[in-house]
């Protein structure tokens, strides 16, 4: 039931009025349709976007409530601003659209005999009468001015975004009678194909977790697909597209760890369903800034950790050949059987119907890096001889606030102004007394990043180099140790450790009908005939 909001709620929602641009109007009307549980929505633009129509098969507006629907701060949705359960809630969208040149609303709830029509011109109701109408609502708006050039494309991008978060919605979009988008509600994978394109969407793997009243449904990109900004990541909370909070970006970067180069982000979509107390939404006109509770962030982190632990993230060869892309499998890590070595630099291995090419240097780097990281976790071991570390004035000032992080790695004590005496350090650093003071200062200046970089450098030095021959047993041992790593798919610097080539791609390239395991020797395809050269 539509009703005016009380004054305290009006004051709370007054910050930031509803915008009247074409894109904003489409968003508000689409959200109204989704709130009305519509399964089918049609969006039409005419005259370059000066006229907009949005039609849905949702619950509809009762005839008697149509005039109230265009009144300011009137809504049927908001009861408690702390427990928002709908996309729209401010009660301002239809009121703002009623200030346009003309607004026409035709609606009928399924239980109502006959529909209702409301005509509004520049904020004044001109007619309110009964008319024949199908179940649902159709809103037509004629703006006073034509939108700016490029607005139609912005609307298309907006609709694709909403399909990522409502992939079962049947959505149609027409401009000047021409169909620009016809989506049959085919699910998240098809919505991702629409957003990211066919090639990139094949490089996404699913993530799903449910528990404690929370649900995550997501698609995230494999390591071979990334970009230098987070613009390819889309998040929704309870169906609402929202901006990515910094905490979520941090969780994603932590999940990918060394799988991506520094400064790179994955592509993907994350749809979170949360109970009201697990997030807080800013109540402005855009309704896109959200803060997750610590419980919600912990749920997301655990979902990502479990997904990455169970996914085969070996990069696929050749990357431009679509048929080489493997279908996503539930269980991930293959058992690699050593086949041989190529140019004393790459190991060849097989698992099932997949051929793997392993960079022996990158693989050994990853193994050594994780061993060093475990030794760091063991804490500092006493040094044979204490070392003095001089500190710059800025470093000395930071010492109290960084003391907890430093003591996880070093045992030390103050030794006069601007100096500390190192008494203990991770055992693998003991052979490098000249390096120890610099490592201490790096950790003091910048938590985590410098230490990880140091471990990566230390792992690189003794790792197997290109041109180093390996016997059968040594090659198999290297493969087994790599697959036992926490993150076997990339070296500490972000380069891939192994690439995969599916048998299906080899069959296609060689023109065979099937592989040996698929039915014996396949007959070759007949090569295409070429035109005979005239004498």
């Amino acid at each position: 039931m539509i009703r005016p909001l009380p004054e305290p709620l009006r004051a709370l929602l007054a910050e930031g009025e509803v915008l009247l641009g074409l894109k904003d109007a489409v968003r508000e009307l689409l959200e109204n349709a989704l709130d009305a549980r519509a399964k089918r929505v049609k969006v039409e633009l005419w005259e370059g976007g000066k006229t907009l129509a949005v039609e849905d098969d949702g619950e509809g507006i009762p005839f008697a409530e149509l005039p109230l629907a265009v009144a300011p701060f009137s809504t049927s949705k908001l009861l408690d601003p702390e427990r928002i359960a709908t996309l729209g809630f401010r009660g301002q969208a239809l009121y703002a659209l009623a200030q346009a040149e003309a607004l026409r609303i035709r609606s009928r709830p399924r239980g109502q005999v006959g529909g209702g029509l409301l005509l509004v011109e520049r904020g004044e109701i001109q007619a309110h009468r009964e008319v024949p109408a199908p179940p649902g609502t159709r809103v037509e708006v004629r703006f006073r001015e034509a939108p700016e050039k490029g607005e139609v494309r912005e609307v298309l991008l907006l609709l694709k975004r909403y399909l990522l978060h409502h992939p079962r919605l049947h959505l149609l979009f027409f401009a000047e009678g021409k169909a620009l988008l016809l989506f049959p509600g085919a699910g998240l994978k098809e919505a991702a194909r629409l957003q990211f394109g066919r090639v990139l969407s094949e490089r996404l793997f699913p993530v799903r977790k449910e528990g404690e009243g929370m649900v995550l449904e997501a698609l995230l990109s494999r390591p071979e697909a990334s970009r230098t900004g987070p613009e390819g990541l889309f998040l929704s909370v309870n169906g609402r597209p929202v901006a990515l909070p910094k905490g979520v970006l941090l969780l994603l970067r932590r999940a990918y760890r060394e799988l991506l180069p520094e400064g790179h982000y994955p592509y993907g979509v994350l749809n979170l369903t949360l109970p009201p107390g697990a997030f807080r939404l800013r109540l402005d006109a855009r309704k896109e800034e959200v803060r997750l509770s610590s419980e919600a962030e912990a749920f997301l982190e655990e979902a990502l950790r479990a997904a990455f632990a169970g996914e085969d993230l070996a990069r696929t060869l050749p990357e431009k050949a679509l048929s080489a892309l493997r279908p996503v499998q539930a269980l991930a890590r293959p058992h690699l059987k050593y086949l041989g070595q190529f140019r004393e630099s790459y190991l060849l291995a097989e698992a099932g119907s997949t051929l793997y090419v392993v960079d022996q240097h990158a693989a050994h780097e990853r193994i050594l890096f994780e061993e060093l990281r475990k030794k760091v976790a063991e804490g500092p071991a006493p040094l044979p001889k204490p070392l003095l570390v001089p500190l710059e004035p800025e470093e000395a000032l930071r010492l109290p606030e960084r003391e907890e992080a430093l003591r996880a790695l070093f045992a030390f004590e103050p030794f006069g102004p601007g100096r500390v005496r190192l008494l203990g350090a991770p055992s693998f650093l003991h052979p490098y007394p000249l390096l120890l003071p610099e490592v201490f200062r790096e950790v003091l200046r910048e938590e985590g990043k410098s230490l990880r970089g140091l471990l990566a450098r230390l792992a690189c030095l003794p790792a197997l180099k290109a041109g180093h021959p390996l016997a059968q047993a040594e090659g198999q041992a290297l493969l087994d140790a790599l697959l036992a790593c926490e993150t076997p798919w990339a070296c500490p610097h972000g380069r891939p450790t192994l690439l995969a080539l599916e048998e299906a791609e080899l069959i296609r390239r060689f023109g065979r009908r099937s592989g040996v395991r698929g039915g014996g020797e396949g007959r070759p395809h007949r090569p295409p005939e070429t035109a005979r050269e005239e004498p």
Side-chain angles (χ1 to χ4, degrees):
M1 177 179 170
I2 299 176
R3 59 194 175 281
L5 292 174
E7 286 300 329
L9 274 181
R10 294 192 185 201
L12 183 64
L13 300 176
E15 178 186 352
E17 296 303 315
V18 173
L19 304 177
L20 280 176
L22 176 61
K23 177 181 173 182
D24 299 299
V26 172
R27 182 181 69 241
E28 296 287 347
L29 294 176
L30 177 60
E31 289 186 351
N32 281 350
L34 292 169
D35 286 339
R37 297 183 176 85
K39 293 181 174 58
R40 187 177 186 276
V41 176
K42 180 167 69 172
V43 179
E44 300 173 83
L45 298 180
W46 302 93
E47 302 174 88
K50 190 173 182 180
T51 299
L52 161 68
V54 177
E55 185 172 357
D56 67 65
D57 63 350
E59 295 174 345
I61 305 172
F63 176 79
E65 296 179 15
L66 281 173
L68 196 55
V70 297
F73 292 112
S74 296
T75 180
S76 61
K77 303 172 185 178
L78 186 62
L79 296 174
D80 181 355
E82 298 296 325
R83 304 180 69 85
I84 295 172
T86 55
L87 300 177
F89 53 82
R90 302 178 77 246
Q92 287 286 76
L94 291 178
Y95 167 72
L97 292 175
Q99 312 310 309
E101 184 174 317
L103 172 68
R104 184 177 188 268
I105 305 176
R106 186 197 69 199
S107 189
R108 178 169 80 86
R110 293 189 180 276
Q112 178 178 290
V113 178
L117 177 67
L118 186 74
L119 300 177
V120 186
E121 293 182 1
R122 296 177 179 256
E124 298 293 330
I125 295 178
Q126 303 297 318
H128 177 213
R129 61 176 183 267
E130 294 183 354
V131 294
T137 301
R138 179 179 175 87
V139 179
E140 299 175 15
V141 186
R142 182 171 176 80
F143 297 98
R144 300 186 186 188
E145 297 179 2
E148 295 181 3
K149 192 174 182 180
E151 283 278 310
V152 175
R153 180 178 178 274
E154 290 297 315
V155 170
L156 179 60
L157 293 176
L158 175 79
L159 296 177
K160 288 182 179 180
R161 170 73 190 272
Y162 271 81
L163 286 176
L164 288 176
H165 311 309
H166 299 271
R168 293 299 175 187
L169 177 68
H170 187 166
L171 182 62
L172 314 173
F173 177 41
F174 296 87
E176 314 301 336
K178 179 182 178 182
L180 299 184
L181 177 61
L182 301 173
F183 188 76
L188 183 55
K189 188 171 182 180
E190 289 303 313
R193 189 187 300 270
L194 199 63
Q195 175 69 40
F196 298 113
R198 189 160 61 103
V199 174
L200 182 55
S201 66
E202 292 292 344
R203 288 166 165 79
L204 304 177
F205 66 92
V207 179
R208 178 173 172 82
K209 181 176 174 62
E210 184 172 354
E212 302 174 13
M214 307 181 199
V215 179
L216 171 67
E217 290 192 65
L219 290 173
L220 291 172
S221 62
R222 298 169 57 81
E224 59 263 33
S226 66
R227 59 182 298 164
T228 55
E231 297 83 7
L233 286 166
F234 302 96
L235 171 68
S236 77
V237 174
N238 295 350
R240 180 189 310 282
V242 294
L244 280 161
K246 289 183 179 179
V248 173
L249 278 177
L250 180 62
L251 292 177
L252 285 167
R253 284 294 303 154
R254 191 180 302 160
Y256 276 85
R257 289 188 294 273
E258 298 90 15
L259 290 174
L260 297 179
E262 186 69 28
H264 279 235
Y265 295 85
Y267 292 86
V269 52
L270 299 98
N271 292 328
L272 275 170
T273 302
L274 303 176
F279 70 99
R280 188 174 182 86
L281 179 70
R282 183 175 176 181
L283 304 181
D284 63 356
R286 293 195 177 276
K287 302 170 290 187
E288 61 182 19
E289 292 187 25
V290 70
R291 181 187 302 170
L292 302 186
S293 67
S294 57
E295 293 80 8
E297 288 191 350
F299 169 80
L300 178 58
E301 183 174 25
E302 173 57 26
L304 294 174
R305 187 203 62 76
F308 278 75
E311 184 65 31
D312 181 353
L313 296 176
R315 305 194 186 198
T316 310
L317 271 178
E319 293 193 356
K320 293 184 179 179
L322 291 179
S323 57
L325 293 166
R326 65 167 55 82
V328 176
Q329 299 176 1
L331 182 64
R333 299 201 179 187
H335 175 69
L336 298 183
K337 178 184 176 183
Y338 178 78
L339 299 177
Q341 191 180 27
F342 175 65
R343 296 184 64 82
E344 298 182 338
S345 301
Y346 304 97
L347 307 186
L348 303 180
E350 69 171 338
S353 62
T354 305
L355 174 69
Y356 289 87
V357 182
V358 181
D359 184 327
Q360 65 187 38
H361 175 71
H364 199 202
E365 259 190 322
R366 163 53 60 182
I367 296 165
L368 294 175
F369 174 78
E370 295 204 2
E371 288 177 355
L372 292 176
R373 197 160 57 182
K374 289 176 183 176
K375 290 179 180 178
V376 166
E378 295 172 358
L383 288 168
K385 182 180 178 181
L387 287 174
L388 288 180
V389 181
L391 303 178
E392 297 292 334
E394 296 83 359
E395 294 172 337
L397 290 173
R398 292 202 67 187
L399 191 59
E401 64 183 79
R402 300 286 295 129
E403 184 171 359
E404 183 178 352
L406 286 164
R407 291 202 180 278
L409 297 171
F410 302 97
F412 63 94
E413 62 184 8
F415 198 78
R419 292 192 300 179
V420 297
R421 184 166 69 165
L422 287 186
L423 304 174
S427 58
F428 65 87
L429 288 176
H430 288 194
Y432 309 100
L434 297 179
L435 186 62
L436 268 170
E438 185 57 34
V439 174
F440 182 89
R441 284 193 293 266
E442 282 190 0
V443 178
L444 174 61
R445 290 192 298 264
E446 194 173 355
E447 182 179 3
K449 179 179 177 182
S450 295
L451 177 63
R452 197 202 67 78
L454 169 70
L455 297 182
R457 293 197 300 272
L458 291 176
C460 181
L461 293 174
L464 292 171
K465 302 297 187 291
H468 187 106
L470 291 177
Q472 173 86 18
E474 294 172 322
Q476 186 63 57
L478 184 66
L479 295 175
D480 293 341
L482 174 64
L483 269 297
C485 287
E486 182 181 352
T487 309
W489 318 112
C491 80
H493 308 289
R495 296 189 301 108
T497 54
L498 67 169
L499 303 172
L501 178 62
E502 295 286 356
E503 182 186 20
E505 177 64 16
L506 293 173
I507 292 171
R508 189 185 72 82
R509 295 261 174 160
F510 282 110
R512 301 170 66 91
R513 294 190 183 277
S514 65
V516 173
R517 299 186 184 183
E521 287 292 328
R523 292 180 298 169
H525 291 293
R526 181 179 180 181
E529 294 184 3
T530 56
R532 295 184 60 186
E533 192 174 9
E534 294 292 334

